[in-house]
Amino acid sequence: MSGGGTLGMVRAALEGEPAWLVGGAVRDRLAGGPPATDIDVIVDGDVRGAARRLARAAHAAAFELSGEFGAWRVVARDHSWQADLNPLRGGSLEADLRLRDFTVNAIAQPLAGGELIDPLGGTRDLAAGRLRLAGPGALTEDPLRALRLVRLSCELGLEADPGARAAARSIGPRLADVAAERVFGELKRIVSSDRAVAGLELAGELGLSGVVLPELEALRGIGQSRFHHLDVHGHTMDVLAGAVALGRDPAAIVGDDQADLVRALLAEPLADDLTRGGALRLGALMHDIAKPPTRRLMPDGGVQFVGHDELGARIVRAILGRLRASERLTGHVAGLVREHLRLGFLVGDQPVGRRAVYRYLDACDGVAADVTLLSMIDRLATRGDGSERAIELHMTAARAILVDALAWHSAGRPAPVIRGDRLAGELGIEPGPGLGELLASVAEAHYAGEATTPEAAVAVARQLIMRGETGARR
C-alpha cells in the first residue's frame, strides 16, 4: 500500500473521531518528501478502540505500545506501513504540541483535512532550515531526543540552533540511561544518512559520541604511519564518507561493469532494518576500532597496529552486543572488521592466482563481496607516502577479485567436485581432520580449474598425500 493509500485508510477508519495528523508525516510533506508510511496520530478519545477499528479496516495488527501513556500501534501485515495512535496530552492540542521535541515535529493537521495548526512556528523553522526545541524542557523529558537532534540534522539538513545545541550538550550524559535499543535505532539512521559524517561529527561536538560510542571517540589523536595522512579518527570518517559515496555512485569506485551488481548488493536487506549498504557503513565506522590498544612504536620511528583486525572484531561484538543488535548484524560487521586487511596481502602478486582468489573467498565467506568493497574505500582513504601507486595496485586487484566475490555471493559456495566418502574410499583413508584438509585442497584446485572431475580430484589428493602435504593417513 502506498503512503497516500495508508493515510486514506487511516482517515476512513477514524472518520468522525477527533484526531490530528502530527510529527514526521506532516513535516516531511511540507519539506517535499515522499508520502509517509510511518504515521503519527493524536486521538482525543478512545485510542484503543480507534486502533482496533483501523486494524480491522486495514486487515492489520494492533498492539499497545505503552500502558503508561496509552499509545497503540497498527502495523500492516507486510510491514509496509504503520500508524502510531497517541492520546491527547495536556488537555488541549496546543498543550500536546508544546510537549513535543522540536518545533518542526509540533505541527498538526486535522486528520480529516484542513488548515495546519502550528502554535510554535515549526513551518517557519522548517523553511529556514532551523532545528529548534519545542520547549525548554524538551530534552529533559527524554534524553534520547539529544541524539534525535543529530539524526534530524542529518536526515533533513537542518541546523540546530544554539539553544538546542546547548540543551543536547547538557543532557548528553543521560543517554547512558536510555534503553540501548532506542539508542541504536537513532544511531542506525544517522549512519544510514547521506550526511552521516557530518552527523557523527556533530554528535562528537555535542559530547554524545563519548556516551554512545566511546570507542569511536578514542580514535581521535591516534597518529598513524607515514602511509596515512590523517589520524585514526579522521581516516575512519574518510572511509565512512567513501561508503556513502559508494552507495550514491558505485561506478566511480568499482567501474561501470560491476556498478549495477554492487548497487543491488548494497540494497539487499540484512538485519535490524539495515541493508548490506548500511552494515558496510558500520563496518567502515568500526574497521580500525582496535587501533588505539594495538598501537606500537617501532625502533625506526614507525607505527604498527598488529592484530587490530582480530581484536577489532571482538570489540565490534562487544559494541553491538551493548547496543542489542542481532547476531546476524553483529556477525556480519565483525566479519568485515576481521577480514578488512586480507585483500591487501594479495596486492603484491598480480595478477592474483585462482587458488589465492579461492582462499580469499573461502576465508571471507558470507562477507566476501562486502569486505572487498570495504578494502577499496579503505585504500582510497589512505593517502600518505607513495599512496598514488599503492592505490592503483590495490584497486586493480580489488576490482578483479570483486567480480569473483559478487559471483560467489550470488551463486553461493561452489558445489564440491567429489564427496568426502567417495574420496576416502578411493584413497583408502579414514575419515578425520586429514580428510577435511584434502577436501579443502581439492576444492581450491577445483575452483582454479585444476580438478574439474571426481577422477581429477582423486589424482590431486593422491599427489598431496605422496608429498606429505596433508595429515590424511591410509
Side-chain angles (χ1 to χ4, degrees), residues 342-365 368 372 397 400-402 404-405 408 440-441 443-450:
R342 189 176 292 273
L343 193 148
F345 297 127
L346 303 178
V347 170
D349 187 20
Q350 295 196 46
V352 180
R354 301 304 295 167
R355 282 177 171 269
V357 170
Y358 176 83
R359 289 192 293 271
Y360 173 80
L361 298 176
D362 179 53
C364 301
D365 190 31
T372 302
I401 289 174
L402 181 62
D404 294 294
W408 185 289
S441 296
E444 182 180 309
H446 179 221
Y447 190 84
E450 301 167 10

Side-chain angles (χ1 to χ4, degrees), residues 116-135:
L116 295 177
I117 301 161
D118 182 19
L120 305 180
T123 53
R124 290 194 303 273
D125 287 335
L126 190 61
R130 182 171 52 236
L131 193 59
R132 190 165 55 88
L133 298 179

Side-chain angles (χ1 to χ4, degrees), residues 260-268 275-277 369-370 373 406 409:
D260 287 343
L261 291 175
V262 167
R263 190 176 290 107
L265 174 80
L266 297 178
E268 284 183 20
T275 62
R276 295 182 88 96
D370 314 73
L373 296 171
L406 289 167
H409 174 73

